[in-house]
Amino acid sequence: MNVIHFDVIDSTNTYLKNHFWELPHLTVVTAKHQISGRGRMGKSFIDDSTQLLFSILLKENIEHIQLFPLFAAKVIHELLLNYSIDAEIKWPNDILVNEKKLCGILTESVYLKRCEALIIGIGINVNTTVFPEEIKDIAISLKQLCSHDFSLENIFNEFIVTFEDKLSSFYSNPLSVVNYINQYSSLKDKYITYYTDGILQEGKVIEIAENGALHIISNQNHLYLNSGEIIKIQSKKSID
Ligand code: BTN
């Protein structure tokens, strides 16, 4: 992998979006601090340099666009298992522990005539102990889970070595990633309220489908969500 490091940057995803043309496939940009870190659904991703922040540029074999964030989530999940951390994967992009977010993934694509590049941005709460007020009840860090500091560099190195190593088996058998995500999915059999195309809807999750979409039943219809934000998760349908 071609690794570029910045002490301070606006956003590692934005950097790769702006420079994808001149950078090789599998370039990774890391930063100690992002001034305008971005999350999904237009939210910002605020850091205090205790998070691991990086983005990966993919330019070749990117036809399974929807499966790449799931592949990245699988690599992180396996890495956490090595630290004896039993996490869940919340479709499409979050890694949760004890129902709190440990890691977020923001995948973006660059289209000209076709999809030219895919950028997978990852933020992991590593040594964070103080979260912004608005996320303090829904976020968690490795340090909070294990009561010691972690080396950001070691986690980063483990991630990129495993990511590159497992990429060819992902290309040859993308379904194995879907099966893995289903095994550790926090949404299986849950009733969800989700926001898509500006409308709030409800449904019951069946599984992650082969193409990476979320298969749900809503008003007796089988639907496949490609994106959208899940607002509420319940294990049973509420009576009211
Ligand atoms: C989310 O939880 O909504 C996704 C968060 C993704 C944050 C990472 S940090 C590195 C990369 N650069 C960004 O601006 N965002 C991603």
Side-chain angles (χ1 to χ4, degrees):
M1 290 223 185
N2 171 40
V3 180
I4 306 172
H5 177 74
F6 291 93
D7 277 347
V8 181
I9 198 170
D10 51 354
S11 148
T12 53
N13 265 42
T14 307
Y15 181 88
L16 284 178
K17 263 177 131 176
N18 291 339
H19 296 272
F20 81 92
W21 201 245
E22 71 249 29
L23 292 169
H25 174 59
L26 290 179
T27 294
V28 189
V29 175
T30 69
K32 263 193 199 145
H33 173 56
Q34 296 183 131
I35 294 165
S36 314
R38 294 184 292 110
R40 294 182 64 245
M41 316 299 287
K43 292 180 185 160
S44 51
F45 186 87
I46 297 166
D47 76 85
D48 62 0
S49 299
T50 60
Q51 295 82 0
L52 180 58
L53 314 165
F54 62 100
S55 303
I56 307 160
L57 173 69
L58 295 146
K59 292 168 71 169
E60 294 167 13
N61 301 321
I62 47 179
E63 51 276 4
H64 301 297
I65 291 182
Q66 248 188 292
L67 296 181
F68 275 96
L70 301 181
F71 171 63
K74 174 176 181 277
V75 172
I76 295 166
H77 189 276
E78 287 173 335
L79 196 147
L80 293 171
L81 281 178
N82 290 342
Y83 294 120
S84 304
I85 294 172
D86 198 3
E88 286 190 308
I89 301 165
K90 182 179 161 209
W91 180 93
N93 283 340
D94 292 340
I95 308 274
L96 308 180
V97 179
N98 303 337
E99 297 181 2
K100 294 184 176 184
K101 184 152 148 179
L102 180 72
C103 165
I105 304 173
L106 172 68
T107 305
E108 299 182 289
S109 42
V110 184
Y111 275 86
L112 294 176
K113 280 190 183 131
R114 59 187 176 97
C115 183
E116 306 285 348
L118 203 62
I119 293 150
I120 306 176
I122 298 176
I124 308 177
N125 299 322
V126 178
N127 295 321
T128 319
T129 51
V130 182
F131 286 100
E133 186 60 27
E134 60 277 19
I135 59 163
K136 73 174 177 25
D137 296 328
I138 52 168
I140 199 159
S141 69
L142 286 178
K143 182 170 180 172
Q144 287 173 326
L145 285 166
C146 300
S147 308
H148 62 82
D149 278 303
F150 286 79
S151 153
L152 298 179
E153 202 186 337
N154 286 355
I155 298 174
F156 173 71
N157 288 334
E158 278 176 51
F159 177 89
I160 55 166
V161 166
T162 317
F163 186 93
E164 195 169 14
D165 196 41
K166 300 210 163 163
L167 201 51
S168 55
S169 67
F170 163 60
Y171 285 137
S172 57
N173 185 8
L175 199 56
S176 68
V177 167
V178 174
N179 292 339
Y180 187 93
I181 302 294
N182 273 316
Q183 188 183 345
Y184 293 101
S185 168
S186 68
L187 295 181
K188 194 162 172 68
D189 296 329
K190 298 270 165 59
Y191 289 88
I192 57 165
T193 305
Y194 61 96
Y195 201 60
T196 188
D197 299 330
I199 308 166
L200 263 188
Q201 312 215 42
E202 288 185 350
K204 184 184 178 195
V205 175
I206 306 298
E207 61 174 3
I208 318 293
E210 282 183 24
N211 65 355
L214 186 68
H215 176 189
I216 64 166
I217 294 187
S218 181
N219 297 324
Q220 293 171 352
N221 295 317
H222 286 263
L223 301 180
Y224 293 85
L225 303 184
N226 289 312
S227 63
E229 188 174 25
I230 292 164
I231 310 284
K232 197 170 159 195
I233 306 169
Q234 296 157 274
S235 21
K236 288 205 170 110
K237 197 168 174 57
S238 64
I239 309 152
D240 50 5

